[in-house]
Amino acid sequence: MNKTVKMILIIVGLVLLGYGVYTMIAPEASVSFGGLSMEAQDNTNSYITIGLGVVTLAITFFMNKKT
């Protein structure tokens, strides 16, 4: 695999992983009323983003071992 393509895939994979973890940790919506506060969060998109990052990194490393 070309070194440039490999580097781009590694960077894209790491960015996807980082963004997925960030969106999982950061709350999407919060409501506070007096002493009560509630946070609602749907992590479905975070899991998909993390999965895409892992797949991208796996493709990069497995394609390197074939050649």
Side-chain angles (χ1 to χ4, degrees), residues 4 8 11 13 26-27 31-32 37-39 43-45 50-51 55-56 61 64:
T4 306
I8 290 172
I11 291 170
V31 175
S32 61
S37 64
M38 296 181 64
E39 295 180 359
N43 289 332
T44 306
N45 291 337
I50 292 171
V55 168
T56 304
F61 292 121
N64 188 26

Side-chain angles (χ1 to χ4, degrees), residues 3-63:
K3 286 186 178 185
T4 306
V5 173
K6 183 179 176 183
M7 238 1 192
I8 290 172
L9 286 176
I10 289 174
I11 291 170
V12 168
L14 291 175
V15 167
L16 285 172
L17 278 173
Y19 181 71
V21 170
Y22 171 75
T23 57
M24 184 180 292
I25 294 172
E28 291 180 2
S30 63
V31 175
S32 61
F33 181 72
L36 299 172
S37 64
M38 296 181 64
E39 295 180 359
Q41 188 167 356
D42 181 24
N43 289 332
T44 306
N45 291 337
S46 300
Y47 296 133
I48 293 171
T49 306
I50 292 171
L52 287 174
V54 169
V55 168
T56 304
L57 290 174
I59 288 172
T60 303
F61 292 121
F62 288 131
M63 293 298 287

